[in-house]
């Protein structure tokens, strides 16, 4: 399993183009618009597996590609005051301790003076976050976007499209098998598609149910 994971390497960095929007098309469109400076404060919320981290990382990557100084912060990362950065994202805001809450509050206030774009994400609406009241108010003062987990039909379409872009096809019944035997988040499911692509090429085998089962066993999915 370790050898296979090593050969596969890290997944490609998230981008807007690799985000399969489905019912979240409006949120994706709004994030693209925010990249142009139309929205300075964006809060994204939704359940686990809905794509919050993907969108935040994609925004930061696009900002960097456009010449901005930008940074993504996730759970456990230190939130600085944003000095010198024109875009920052803070993921899992609902998990912030008091130190993190104060840092995010100060960052928001700095951006009000210096300009820039601040993106945050959490698992619930701003008003319901277990944070200090003044911070909840600020997070809810900008653009608030809700993400929904894709349906099985949308996930199947996403996996099929990912396979097509890689140059091969997965039969619908095999996609259904993957969806029913792999963790529900799209990141894990996309990793299985990448593994199938690599293993089928290396072993010169067609993508059949036995190969899918073998890859899932190797990946311990």
């Amino acid at each position: 399993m370790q050898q296979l994971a090593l050969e596969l390497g890290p997944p490609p960095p998230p981008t807007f183009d690799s985000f399969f929007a489905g019912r979240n098309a409006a949120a994706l469109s709004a994030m693209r618009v925010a990249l142009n400076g139309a929205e300075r404060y964006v809060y994204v919320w939704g359940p686990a597996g809905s794509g919050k981290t993907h969108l935040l990382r994609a925004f930061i990557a696009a900002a960097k590609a456009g010449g901005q100084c930008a940074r993504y912060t996730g759970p456990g990362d230190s939130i600085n005051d944003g000095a010198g950065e024109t875009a920052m994202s803070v993921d899992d805001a609902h998990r912030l301790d008091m130190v993190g809450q104060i840092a995010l509050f100060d960052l928001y206030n700095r951006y009000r003076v210096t300009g820039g774009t601040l993106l945050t994400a959490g698992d619930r609406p701003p008003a319901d976050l277990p944070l200090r009241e003044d911070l909840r108010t600020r997070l809810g003062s900008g653009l608030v976007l809700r993400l929904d987990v894709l349906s099985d039909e949308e996930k199947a379409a996403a996996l099929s499209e990912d396979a097509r872009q890689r140059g091969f096809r997965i039969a619908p019944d095999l996609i259904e098998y993957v969806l029913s035997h792999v963790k529900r988040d799209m990141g894990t499911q996309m990793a299985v598609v990448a593994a199938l692509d690599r293993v089928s090429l290396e072993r010169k085998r067609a993508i059949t149910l036995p190969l899918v089962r073998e890859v899932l066993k190797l990946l311990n999915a």
Side-chain angles (χ1 to χ4, degrees), residues 27 30-31 34 39-47 52 55-56 59 88-96 104 108 117-131 135-147:
M31 291 288 282
E39 297 287 348
R40 292 182 54 198
Y41 306 105
V42 181
Y43 177 78
V44 184
W45 70 278
K52 300 185 297 295
L55 282 184
L56 261 59
F59 185 99
M88 279 190 64
S89 68
V90 178
D91 208 348
D92 282 355
H94 56 281
R95 296 184 180 180
L96 291 175
L104 181 55
Y108 181 98
T117 305
L118 175 61
L119 297 95
T120 50
D123 65 351
R124 65 200 77 179
D128 297 335
L129 288 167
L131 307 175
L135 182 55
R136 290 201 304 267
T137 301
R138 280 161 173 75
L139 294 181
S141 66
L143 177 64
V144 177
L145 302 173
R146 174 179 175 176
L147 295 181

Side-chain angles (χ1 to χ4, degrees), residues 26-196:
L28 174 60
S29 177
M31 291 288 282
R32 289 183 184 273
V33 172
L35 185 63
N36 299 322
E39 297 287 348
R40 292 182 54 198
Y41 306 105
V42 181
Y43 177 78
V44 184
W45 70 278
S50 57
K52 300 185 297 295
T53 298
H54 186 123
L55 282 184
L56 261 59
R57 287 189 177 277
F59 185 99
I60 295 301
K64 288 181 177 179
Q68 296 189 51
C69 180
R71 185 165 72 97
Y72 166 87
T73 60
D77 293 337
S78 174
I79 303 173
N80 63 19
D81 59 6
E85 290 165 328
T86 56
M88 279 190 64
S89 68
V90 178
D91 208 348
D92 282 355
H94 56 281
R95 296 184 180 180
L96 291 175
D97 58 15
M98 188 53 65
V99 172
Q101 292 179 46
I102 293 173
L104 181 55
F105 182 83
D106 291 343
L107 177 61
Y108 181 98
N109 289 335
R110 172 180 285 274
Y111 272 28
R112 287 184 64 184
V113 176
T114 64
T117 305
L118 175 61
L119 297 95
T120 50
D123 65 351
R124 65 200 77 179
D128 297 335
L129 288 167
L131 307 175
R132 41 190 279 185
E133 176 61 28
D134 53 1
L135 182 55
R136 290 201 304 267
T137 301
R138 280 161 173 75
L139 294 181
S141 66
L143 177 64
V144 177
L145 302 173
R146 174 179 175 176
L147 295 181
D148 292 307
V149 175
L150 298 181
S151 66
D152 283 350
E153 291 76 15
E154 290 170 324
K155 289 181 178 180
L159 295 181
S160 179
E161 175 61 19
D162 186 48
R164 187 192 67 78
Q165 292 183 5
R166 293 174 181 275
F168 70 100
R169 178 182 179 276
I170 303 180
D173 59 321
L174 298 184
I175 291 179
E176 183 178 348
Y177 185 88
V178 170
L179 290 175
S180 62
H181 288 78
V182 178
K183 289 193 300 183
R184 307 303 288 174
D185 66 281
M186 286 299 298
T188 301
Q189 292 160 359
M190 290 293 191
V192 172
V193 173
L196 285 170

